[in-house]
Amino acid sequence: MNNEIIYPRSEEEVLLILATAKKEGHLLEIIFDEFVKKPFSMPVLWGCRAYFYGLKKEELSAHPVLFTHLALLSAMDGDLSQAKAYVQFMGKTPRLVKMDTYDMMDICRIKTELVMPYISDAMFFRIVSFLIEENLVPVMGLTLSACRPSILNGFRDFTRYGKYLKKSKDEITEAACRLYGGSVGQKVYEIMLAEWYYQNNNCFEALILVTGTIPLIEQEKDMRCLFVALALQMKILLVNGQTKAARPLVEKIRKRIQITGWDELTSSLNAIECLGACYDGRLQDVERWLDEIAPDENKGIFMMDMYAWMVKVRCYIQTGKYMAAYVLTHQLIALLIPGRRYMDLCECYMLSAIIYYKMKNMEGMCEELSKAIALAKRCGYIRLLADTGNCMVQMLAIYQKEYEEDSFISEIKELAYSVGTYFPDYLKSPYEYYEPLTQMEEKVFRLMAQGLSNDDIARQLGKKTGTVKFHSCNIFRKLQVPTRQEAVERGREIGLL
C-alpha cells in the first residue's frame, strides 16, 4: 500500500492538522512547517486564512517570512494596500536591486513582490532579471501566465503583452524556463502563445499549438500547465460548435486531478463544465451549479477564483437574476481596477453591458459596451467579446446607431453571429423563451401580481374592464398558463416580476 503523502495537501487535511495543533498549543510551529517548509496551494492558504489572521505580532516578528503569506492573502482578497503594507514589514525594495546588500529575508520579500499586482511592470521585469542573474530560481509556487481559466494566471495580467510573444520568443522562453525550472517554462510560453492566437481569432493555429503541447506537458507531469492546455483546447472546440469533442475533456481533466491530488483546480473545472451548460442552454445544470457548487460572494471574493466568478455572472444572467449579476459584476470591477487586470475588466464591462441590455437600459448598455470595446481593441481581445454570440450581435446592432462601425466591431459582430448559430440559447434568459409582453401588458401584469382585480386595474390605468380582460388573455397565452395565479408564478420564475 502506498502511504506517500501527496503535496500540496488538501484544504480539509491541512485544516484538521491546524485545528489539532491549536488545541495542543503548537500552532505557530505547524503553520511554519505546512506553509514554509512544504509546498501548498493558494486555495488551501485562503481556506486557512483565519489561522494566519489570528497570529500575534510577536509571533510574526519571530517568523517574518509569514508576512509573505499575509500579503498573498490580502492580494487574494483584493486588498492591495494591505498586501503592500505586509510586504513592507520585511523591508523596502530599492529601485536598483543588488545582491551585495540583500539577505534571505530580502529575497523572500522580492519573490513575493514578483506576483503582487501593485508593483509596476518595470519593477517586475527588474526583479525577474535580478533573480535570474543571481541564480535565485526557480521560484517555487510561481503563478504567472496569460491563461485565465486556472490558478496559473496569478495576480498579474500579461495578456496585453500578447503581441510581443512571437517577437521575443527566445527571451521570454528562456526567462520562463529559468523562473519555473526545467522545461516547464517552454510549455508556459506555448500555452500563453496559444491563448494569444485564440483571442486574435487564429483558432486553428491555437489548437495546433496547444494540442501539440499537451503530450509534452503530460510527460513533465505538470498538472497546472496540463489543466490550462486542456481547458483552452476545450474552449476552442466548444465555441466552434464541437461540443461532442469538448465534453470528454472535462472528465479527462477531472481524472487527472483525482490522480495527482491537485484539488485546487476543481473549482475552475466545475466552472468550465457549467459554462458548457450555459452554451447549450441546459438551465437545470446551470441552476444546479449556482445552488450547489458555485462560490459564494457573500463569504468574500477569492481573487484566484476569478474564472468561476465570471461564469457565475453568466449563470445569474441566464437564470434572469439580473440584480444579483449586477452586484457581483461591480464588486469584481472594484477589485480588478487597482490590479490592472485588463482582460478580466474587459469581460466585466461586457457582462455589465449585457445586464443593462437585459434590463432594457440601452443607455447604460452602450456606456459599458464602449468600455469593453475600448479595452478589447487596445489589447486584442477579439474572441472575448465575440464568444458572447447572439447577445453581442443584438447589442452591437443598437450600439452602432450611436457609434460609428469600424473594422474591429465588424469582425466581432461577424464572429459573434457565427457563435450564435451554434448556440442560440446561450445567455438567453428564461423569459426570452416566451413571446414578449407589450408595454401595456407589462403594466397590467404588474398590477395583476399585486392582487388587483380587473376592475381595479382598469380604474388605475384609465381603461375599460374589457380592455384589461383582453390584455389578461394575451398575458395568459404568451406565458402558456390558464389562470392569474399561474401567470404570476410563471412571471416570478422567469424574472418578469
Side-chain angles (χ1 to χ4, degrees):
M1 188 175 184
N2 184 9
N3 291 319
E4 183 184 356
I5 297 172
I6 296 174
Y7 288 103
R9 294 187 199 262
S10 69
E11 182 179 331
E12 185 180 51
E13 189 178 2
V14 176
L15 282 170
L16 180 60
I17 290 168
L18 295 182
T20 303
K22 185 176 182 181
K23 195 179 291 183
E24 294 174 354
H26 52 92
L27 177 62
L28 181 61
E29 178 188 338
I30 297 301
I31 284 179
F32 195 83
D33 189 51
E34 290 295 326
F35 290 96
V36 177
K37 295 181 180 179
K38 296 171 183 172
F40 63 90
S41 72
M42 293 293 180
V44 169
L45 177 61
W46 177 255
C48 299
R49 61 193 181 280
Y51 289 100
F52 281 86
Y53 294 151
L55 292 173
K56 297 174 182 175
K57 285 184 179 179
E58 55 268 27
E59 292 174 319
L60 290 168
S61 298
H63 300 283
V65 68
L66 295 177
F67 280 117
T68 67
H69 299 76
L70 288 165
L72 288 169
L73 284 168
S74 294
M76 291 179 204
D77 199 25
D79 190 346
L80 298 186
S81 296
Q82 186 60 62
K84 186 174 183 179
Y86 280 131
V87 169
Q88 289 182 344
F89 273 115
M90 297 184 288
K92 192 171 182 180
T93 305
R95 181 179 172 81
L96 271 174
V97 188
K98 292 183 180 179
M99 189 64 198
D100 56 4
T101 60
Y102 269 44
D103 58 23
M104 289 311 296
M105 187 51 59
D106 292 318
I107 303 302
C108 181
R109 182 183 70 250
I110 67 166
K111 284 187 176 183
T112 304
E113 287 184 314
L114 190 65
V115 295
M116 289 289 129
Y118 65 76
I119 68 165
S120 68
D121 290 339
M123 179 57 93
F124 167 81
F125 291 120
R126 279 198 289 272
I127 289 173
V128 169
S129 298
F130 167 73
L131 292 174
I132 290 174
E133 284 171 13
E134 300 297 338
N135 202 28
L136 297 167
V137 287
V139 180
M140 301 306 295
L142 189 63
T143 52
L144 302 172
S145 166
C147 303
R148 301 168 62 253
S150 84
I151 51 87
L152 275 182
N153 83 313
F155 303 114
R156 296 185 71 83
D157 179 2
F158 291 96
T159 54
R160 64 191 184 279
Y161 297 118
K163 59 188 174 184
Y164 301 111
L165 285 173
K166 288 191 76 175
K167 289 181 189 175
S168 308
K169 177 182 177 181
D170 293 340
E171 297 94 322
I172 294 170
T173 302
E174 183 185 353
C177 286
R178 297 287 298 278
L179 285 169
Y180 281 88
S183 61
V184 175
Q186 173 71 32
K187 312 304 174 294
V188 169
Y189 170 80
E190 288 171 356
I191 296 168
M192 289 169 71
L193 184 58
E195 171 80 359
W196 174 248
Y197 280 152
Y198 172 69
Q199 281 301 328
N200 280 263
N201 196 37
N202 295 323
C203 291
F204 190 61
E205 285 185 66
L207 191 61
I208 290 173
L209 185 56
V210 79
T211 304
T213 303
I214 286 170
L216 301 174
I217 299 174
E218 287 178 322
Q219 289 175 20
E220 294 287 336
K221 297 181 180 178
D222 188 293
M223 189 57 206
R224 294 180 303 170
C225 284
L226 181 61
F227 177 87
V228 179
L230 288 169
L232 181 56
Q233 183 184 35
M234 177 188 163
K235 182 69 183 291
I236 293 167
L237 291 169
L238 180 69
V239 297
N240 284 280
Q242 308 295 312
T243 50
K244 287 184 179 178
R247 284 180 193 169
L249 289 172
V250 172
E251 289 312 310
K252 183 176 181 179
I253 301 170
R254 202 176 294 282
K255 285 177 184 175
R256 293 301 178 93
I257 289 172
Q258 290 168 354
I259 293 167
T260 59
W262 277 91
D263 294 335
E264 64 185 284
L265 302 172
T266 302
S267 176
S268 289
L269 179 61
N270 289 336
I272 289 169
E273 189 173 28
C274 182
L275 184 63
C278 288
Y279 272 102
D280 286 342
R282 289 181 275 124
L283 279 180
Q284 284 187 334
D285 290 341
V286 170
E287 287 171 347
R288 184 182 69 82
W289 183 80
L290 267 179
D291 294 339
E292 301 174 13
I293 303 172
D296 183 358
E297 57 267 36
N298 296 312
K299 295 179 180 178
I301 302 290
F302 176 41
M303 293 291 285
M304 300 295 279
D305 225 358
M306 190 55 63
Y307 187 78
W309 294 122
M310 298 293 192
V311 172
K312 188 168 189 180
V313 173
R314 285 170 168 80
C315 291
Y316 276 149
I317 291 170
Q318 201 142 347
T319 54
K321 299 178 176 72
Y322 302 136
M323 294 307 295
Y326 179 87
V327 170
L328 177 54
T329 302
H330 287 266
Q331 276 181 282
L332 297 177
I333 288 171
L335 293 170
L336 291 168
I337 289 173
R340 300 187 294 275
R341 293 280 290 265
Y342 297 123
M343 196 171 191
D344 291 328
L345 264 175
C346 181
E347 187 167 350
C348 276
Y349 288 139
M350 177 193 74
L351 291 169
S352 182
I354 294 170
I355 295 163
Y356 277 117
Y357 172 69
K358 297 286 186 180
M359 296 178 73
K360 299 180 182 178
N361 182 338
M362 300 310 155
E363 185 179 344
M365 182 213 78
C366 287
E367 187 177 332
E368 296 297 282
L369 194 54
S370 287
K371 296 175 189 175
I373 289 171
L375 271 175
K377 187 181 289 189
R378 191 172 90 196
C379 302
Y381 307 143
I382 297 169
R383 295 290 332 192
L384 181 64
L385 301 187
D387 288 348
T388 309
N390 286 336
C391 198
M392 182 57 66
V393 174
Q394 293 158 9
M395 290 196 300
L396 286 177
I398 297 165
Y399 181 82
Q400 286 166 352
K401 293 177 182 176
E402 298 291 327
Y403 301 86
E404 271 187 48
E405 183 173 354
D406 58 23
S407 58
F408 183 78
I409 291 175
S410 297
E411 184 177 5
I412 290 171
K413 194 174 179 182
E414 185 178 340
L415 288 171
Y417 180 80
S418 176
V419 172
T421 59
Y422 293 129
F423 305 105
D425 293 332
Y426 178 50
L427 294 181
K428 185 185 281 188
S429 302
Y431 77 84
E432 292 178 89
Y433 288 89
Y434 297 89
E435 188 181 341
L437 303 183
T438 64
Q439 284 187 346
M440 182 53 68
E441 286 164 358
E442 286 181 358
K443 290 178 182 178
V444 170
F445 192 34
R446 283 194 289 271
L447 294 171
M448 186 189 295
Q450 294 173 23
L452 273 64
S453 67
N454 286 339
D455 289 338
D456 290 336
I457 293 171
R459 275 193 295 273
Q460 190 149 333
L461 296 177
K463 303 288 182 182
K464 294 180 180 178
T465 301
T467 303
V468 172
K469 287 180 180 178
F470 171 77
H471 289 309
S472 297
C473 287
N474 281 340
I475 292 166
F476 299 156
R477 175 181 59 78
K478 290 178 178 181
L479 295 182
Q480 301 168 27
V481 292
T483 67
R484 272 175 160 244
Q485 184 178 345
E486 288 175 281
V488 171
E489 287 173 2
R490 177 67 51 80
R492 286 183 178 137
E493 280 173 14
I494 64 177
L496 275 177
L497 294 172

